[in-house]
Amino acid sequence: MKLDIRVVQLTLTEPLRISRSVMAAREAVELAVRHGGLSGYGEVVASVYLQLPTERIRREVQELSLARYPDPETALVELQRGDVPFKELAPGVLAGVESALLDLVGKRAGAPVHQLLGTLRPPIAATARTIGITDPVRAAAEAARLAVAGFRVIKVKAGSPDPAEDLARVAAVRIGAPEAEVLLDPNGAWTVETSLHLIPRFAELGVTAVEQPTAPGNPEWLAEVAAASPLPVIADEDAATEEEAERLAGRVQGVNVKLAKCGGVSAALRICAALHGTGTEVMLGCLTASSLGIAPAVHLVDRARWVDLDGHLLLRHDPWRGIGGTDGVVRAADRAGLGVHPVAPGPHGESAS
């Protein structure tokens, strides 16, 4: 087997502001595993927060030799078992490699990935769409536009220095999209005390769940808030790995499972199994990525209570297609492999290496 890479630039339609940063673009590394005249694809997005720069991705992928395996099925089994050299990869790189192998194995079997994972029919789910930290007028207009397009779930970023700004933004979203379910995400900007003070006020505005209100690094804070909150509390930054998610099982109402953080589809399935019956439900989340990067998670949406797979919808030009989402619904394709396909570069060449 041969493993090729290509670096692409993913540019957002407009910068996304959250409590800790503003992002306008990010690099992604496309992976192509080739064997027997077929190719399987995966994507790894660079992330400062995850300490995963493009050069580290390139180095780990280039050092990974798949030639030792007779076929992608064998490589996939060893990856799922956590054997060397796969267990030495960064979680985001591991997720991208597993994606490419799943895509290739599915194509060789003539089956979509969701069938390889035990789901007969293509999973489909409403996805949240994120509105960043912005002024209320823009937030209301964006919420109204999303509601008209068909979105039934909107996630609002919070964590402004003045909480009144967050409250005004959520109130504006409720005006713009009165029928939508509203999720709130401060990205760890609040203390325990601030969380317990503010969450009831957001509940009065119609927010239905809050994601990672407290600063990451002390999951006890998150559990304390979850025990007293009138809204479900979903762990994100404090539940990046399998071990972290399992430690919070039964202590928070939800865990945001992101393949790039936990290490891919197999790790996500283990987390789902560990949380089952504990009272902690699954959110499937993502980083800003193309449809290729989001696709593996779409094949898992039947296992999640909340779905937040809108990273590809934030892009000015998505170099891949096949999972939908523009109408507020993501759909796993009923085609062999991941079911995604590349499209022509945008007018500014965003998909060029």
Side-chain angles (χ1 to χ4, degrees):
M1 285 188 294
K2 182 181 179 184
L3 178 56
D4 295 327
I5 65 173
R6 184 176 77 127
V7 179
V8 301
Q9 180 82 2
L10 302 177
T11 303
L12 279 68
T13 301
E14 60 181 46
L16 177 66
R17 180 186 172 196
I18 65 174
S19 61
R20 63 173 180 257
S21 63
V22 178
M23 181 177 60
R26 75 188 326 154
E27 285 188 328
V29 179
E30 290 181 2
L31 314 179
V33 177
R34 310 190 194 279
H35 181 75
L38 294 174
S39 297
Y41 297 95
E43 180 179 86
V44 188
V45 292
S47 170
V48 174
Y49 183 77
L50 296 179
Q51 299 180 332
L52 192 60
T54 301
E55 284 311 307
R56 180 182 176 187
I57 299 169
R58 293 173 67 111
R59 182 178 68 254
E60 291 196 3
V61 173
Q62 289 169 345
E63 291 175 354
L64 178 65
S65 173
L66 296 182
R68 71 182 73 185
Y69 304 105
D71 50 55
E73 292 80 8
T74 303
L76 182 61
V77 168
E78 296 208 6
L79 181 149
Q80 293 169 336
R81 287 197 312 226
D83 292 348
V84 175
F86 298 109
K87 72 175 184 178
E88 299 170 345
L89 300 174
V93 177
L94 180 62
V97 172
E98 184 182 32
S99 170
L101 288 172
L102 281 168
D103 190 32
L104 183 53
V105 169
K107 289 174 179 175
R108 281 165 57 86
V113 165
H114 60 82
Q115 290 187 1
L116 300 181
L117 303 177
T119 301
L120 181 61
R121 297 183 179 276
I124 180 172
T127 180
R129 175 65 159 78
T130 300
I131 294 179
I133 294 178
T134 188
D135 66 79
V137 173
R138 288 177 60 107
E142 178 68 1
R145 183 188 71 80
L146 292 172
V148 169
F151 285 86
R152 304 192 301 275
V153 186
I154 296 175
K155 184 164 85 169
V156 182
K157 292 293 187 178
S160 302
D162 183 356
E165 295 180 10
D166 295 333
L167 290 162
R169 184 178 314 107
V170 170
V173 167
R174 298 297 297 145
I175 292 171
E179 302 300 320
E181 178 182 359
V182 177
L183 310 176
L184 189 72
D185 185 8
N187 286 108
W190 298 341
T191 63
V192 171
E193 293 74 19
T194 300
S195 300
L196 295 177
H197 172 67
L198 289 178
I199 290 175
R201 300 180 66 183
F202 284 106
E204 292 173 357
L205 290 174
V207 170
T208 60
V210 58
E211 188 178 342
Q212 193 67 43
T214 57
N218 193 333
E220 296 300 321
W221 294 347
L222 200 63
E224 181 180 347
V225 172
S229 171
L231 297 177
V233 171
I234 303 168
D236 182 3
E237 287 88 345
D238 270 329
T241 67
E242 293 180 59
E243 294 76 14
E244 291 171 349
E246 290 177 14
R247 281 199 295 267
L248 283 169
R251 307 184 68 206
V252 295
Q253 289 78 28
V255 164
N256 189 344
V257 178
K258 296 179 179 177
L259 305 191
K261 289 186 178 182
C262 72
V265 168
S266 298
L269 290 174
R270 290 192 294 269
I271 292 173
C272 290
L275 297 182
H276 183 70
T278 67
T280 298
E281 298 185 277
V282 170
M283 169 186 267
L284 272 174
C286 64
L287 305 183
T288 301
S290 76
S291 288
L292 172 61
I294 305 295
V298 176
H299 287 267
L300 301 175
V301 295
D302 57 314
R303 295 164 167 86
R305 160 65 180 85
W306 301 276
V307 173
D308 181 24
L309 299 177
D310 68 338
H312 62 305
L313 303 177
L314 305 179
L315 301 179
R316 183 170 64 189
H317 172 72
D318 183 355
W320 293 78
R321 294 286 189 278
I323 58 173
T326 57
D327 60 350
V329 177
V330 288
R331 305 166 176 83
D334 198 17
R335 297 190 297 272
L338 291 173
V340 294
H341 57 89
V343 296
H348 303 283
E350 290 91 341
S351 67
S353 60

